[in-house]
Amino acid sequence: MKTIIEPFRIKSVEPVFVTTPEERESILKAAFYNPFLIDARHVLIDLLTDSGTSAMSSYQWAGMMQGDESYAGSSSFFHFERVVKSITGMPFIIPTHQGRASEKILFSILGGPGKFFISNTLFDTTRANIEFSGATGIDLLCEEGKHPAIPAPFKGNLDTAALKQCIQEKGAKNIPAVILTITNNSGGGQPVSMRNIKAVKAICAAHHIPFYIDACRFAENAYFIKLREDGYQNRSIEDIAREMFSYADGATMSAKKDAFANIGGFLALHDEALARECRNLLIITEGFPTYGGLAGRDLEAIAIGLKEVMEESYLQYRIRSIEYLSDKLHAAGVPVMRPAGGHAIYIDSKAFLPHIPVTQYPGQALVCELYLAGGIRSVEIGSLMFGKYDEAGALVPAAMELVRLAIPRRVYTQSHIDYVAEVVIDVFQRRESIKGLQITEEAPLLRHFTAKLRPVV
């Protein structure tokens, strides 16, 4: 049938609150034109992130009641460890309070001045933790991924020819790791093919460079492989996921994405000596190795969620729902990333607002207008998030100027999604009236979280 139905029933509901356009104008001004600074109670449809915003299942809530809160050797940890080992095939599993904690631990050990980490596209916290260590992050996205409007099946792939050239230029000894983000969040939520994963692994192995996976959305990536890559149509999601991880030396994951959890993450490794170093740092910063900054109930929720996310009925609904919104916007002429990604809609704000120069942050201007028009909170993934300054203080823009509408898992219904489409299309039809923004205050790292802006006069 053509109608998309949620493969679940709703047992508990949470109210949302409507604001007037006048109220939203005042709220946005008080938040310095940065939706991160808006109170959640003033947001109608919250698409800021899909991280930690999922609706947990009745099985997860029941599991939380069984959480073992022992400080050391919690039975909930061993349940969590068994599940992560079964999916990743990695023997050393280190829980953390979220993905960026795993990144902080790993890059504090592997990073440092003169080091280079290569990726298809590093997301914001990954890049920030690399740079905080003194190292440099390099994105080598495939050519197809650089063109939002042109469809291709695996636009999240890493450019393997560019990887070989980069290794030759930087020297293998100066590259502690190559990291594949699956799916490629900064690149439009686009998947990475198994063929690309294997090719990257082969290049890394030939140069004795460790290969890591940023696995936040591993199940969505596995489902795209099943749909789009020859030879995988008849294989289970769990089997495909195991193969993806089999090529990696390690993995980081925020369980706040593809494990439906509201908090949590992990670092998975093959290298026992590195795992020992990571655990030592974990104890200083996160907690004992069998809880890693999490309550036992959180470990239970993650273990259950990691199994639930690989159910094909859920993944079919999830990917089709994102595609549904993408198709509606595309039909109305809205410039969106094609094809649809796994967890979000990405609007090409440069094409949406061609009259606003990059130096006036067209993505952030669009984010603000979506909130003003319909109470929708989204996030800019462009030069506010990733832009740098050169030695003369001029902005070096990001590769793309995108706005992400991240859809929380199992939270919104089709009528919510139809409302989002209506708001976006309304804004698109009067886009010429939207004005740019300028920064008035910013932090040195991850500035988009706390930056203050004002309209350009």
Side-chain angles (χ1 to χ4, degrees):
M1 299 297 175
K2 293 182 179 179
T3 302
I4 305 165
I5 66 166
E6 293 80 1
F8 50 81
R9 295 180 295 187
I10 298 169
K11 184 175 285 189
S12 179
V13 297
E14 177 183 1
V16 293
F17 302 99
V18 179
T19 52
T20 66
E22 294 76 21
E23 287 172 331
R24 292 195 292 274
E25 187 173 359
S26 177
I27 290 164
L28 186 62
K29 185 177 180 180
F32 300 97
Y33 298 89
N34 186 348
F36 276 102
L37 305 180
I38 296 175
D39 290 353
R41 62 193 173 93
H42 294 144
V43 176
L44 180 61
I45 306 288
D46 203 343
L47 309 182
L48 183 73
T49 180
D50 62 322
S51 179
T53 58
S54 300
M56 291 199 297
S57 70
S58 57
Y59 293 104
Q60 285 179 293
W61 284 110
M64 289 181 76
M65 294 302 295
Q66 297 177 334
D68 177 3
E69 305 302 342
S70 300
Y71 185 91
S74 161
S75 60
S76 294
F77 166 74
F78 294 115
H79 179 201
F80 164 87
E81 183 186 48
R82 283 195 304 274
V83 172
V84 178
K85 279 184 175 180
S86 72
I87 297 169
T88 65
M90 298 180 194
F92 305 107
I93 309 302
I94 301 170
T96 58
H97 82 272
Q98 60 182 36
R100 73 188 64 178
S102 300
E103 294 166 353
K104 178 67 166 68
I105 290 168
L106 184 64
F107 300 134
S108 293
I109 294 168
L110 298 183
K115 302 290 182 64
F116 300 90
F117 290 88
I118 303 172
S119 179
N120 49 350
T121 315
L122 298 163
F123 199 55
D124 56 354
T125 60
T126 320
R127 181 176 297 279
N129 276 303
I130 286 169
E131 292 178 352
F132 188 75
S133 79
T136 301
I138 299 174
D139 295 336
L140 298 178
L141 181 62
C142 67
E143 185 60 32
E144 300 93 322
K146 299 174 184 177
H147 305 282
I150 302 174
F154 292 103
K155 294 171 73 171
N157 283 354
L158 190 151
D159 185 333
T160 51
L163 174 60
K164 292 176 184 177
Q165 183 178 346
C166 190
I167 294 171
Q168 186 175 10
E169 291 174 356
K170 304 299 183 186
K173 68 180 185 302
N174 298 317
I175 302 171
V178 172
I179 304 158
L180 272 183
T181 307
I182 59 172
T183 55
N184 190 334
N185 190 1
S186 298
Q190 296 295 310
V192 177
S193 69
M194 192 73 80
R195 182 178 179 181
N196 191 246
I197 294 171
K198 290 193 279 189
V200 171
K201 171 61 176 181
I203 294 168
C204 289
H207 293 88
H208 306 288
I209 298 171
F211 168 47
Y212 286 79
I213 288 176
D214 177 345
C216 294
R217 299 171 183 87
F218 77 95
E220 292 174 4
N221 200 90
Y223 189 68
F224 278 121
I225 288 174
K226 183 179 177 72
L227 290 179
R228 298 178 182 176
E229 194 160 359
D230 290 341
Y232 290 92
Q233 285 75 16
N234 297 319
R235 291 175 60 177
S236 70
I237 298 301
E238 191 162 358
D239 189 36
I240 295 170
R242 284 199 188 101
E243 183 179 346
M244 290 191 305
F245 285 113
S246 73
Y247 301 113
D249 297 292
T252 61
M253 182 174 180
S254 168
K256 297 166 69 177
K257 282 82 168 178
D258 262 2
F260 301 113
N262 300 134
I263 198 69
F266 64 79
L267 178 58
L269 298 164
H270 280 292
D271 187 326
E272 184 174 8
L274 178 58
R276 191 179 306 114
E277 282 190 81
C278 290
R279 284 200 179 106
N280 290 338
L281 190 51
L282 176 93
I283 291 171
I284 296 171
T285 59
E286 296 283 303
F288 194 73
T290 58
Y291 77 87
L294 295 171
R297 56 184 174 269
D298 299 319
L299 293 167
E300 288 288 348
I302 294 167
I304 295 167
L306 284 170
K307 288 290 190 180
E308 289 182 349
V309 78
M310 292 188 289
E311 294 172 2
E312 287 192 31
S313 60
Y314 159 74
L315 287 166
Q316 182 183 38
Y317 144 77
R318 171 70 169 168
I319 302 305
R320 184 66 190 93
S321 297
I322 306 297
E323 190 177 53
Y324 171 81
L325 177 55
S326 176
D327 289 346
K328 289 197 80 166
L329 296 179
H330 179 66
V334 179
V336 292
M337 177 73 74
R338 302 284 289 172
H343 69 287
I345 300 300
Y346 291 75
I347 301 172
D348 181 353
S349 62
K350 281 178 72 174
F352 194 110
L353 301 171
H355 62 285
I356 298 180
V358 170
T359 53
Q360 294 179 13
Y361 307 104
Q364 190 71 5
L366 177 54
V367 161
C368 290
E369 195 62 33
L370 292 177
Y371 177 73
L372 289 171
I376 296 169
R377 180 158 64 172
S378 54
V379 69
E380 186 258 21
I381 299 184
S383 292
L384 180 65
M385 183 179 286
F386 289 119
K388 303 289 185 183
Y389 297 114
D390 63 19
E391 293 180 357
L395 178 70
V396 179
M400 291 186 282
E401 302 292 332
L402 304 175
V403 166
R404 185 186 71 180
L405 309 177
I407 313 299
R409 294 162 182 79
R410 304 189 298 203
V411 171
Y412 293 118
T413 65
Q414 186 168 327
S415 60
H416 289 112
I417 298 303
D418 286 334
Y419 172 81
V420 170
E422 187 178 335
V423 171
V424 174
I425 292 168
D426 172 69
V427 170
F428 182 66
Q429 290 171 345
R430 52 180 179 80
R431 59 194 180 278
E432 291 87 357
S433 64
I434 301 173
K435 293 180 172 59
L437 298 165
Q438 62 188 60
I439 297 173
T440 62
E441 185 178 313
E442 61 183 299
L445 292 172
L446 296 172
R447 67 179 181 182
H448 56 289
F449 285 142
T450 57
K452 296 179 180 181
L453 303 97
R454 67 184 176 201
V456 172
V457 178

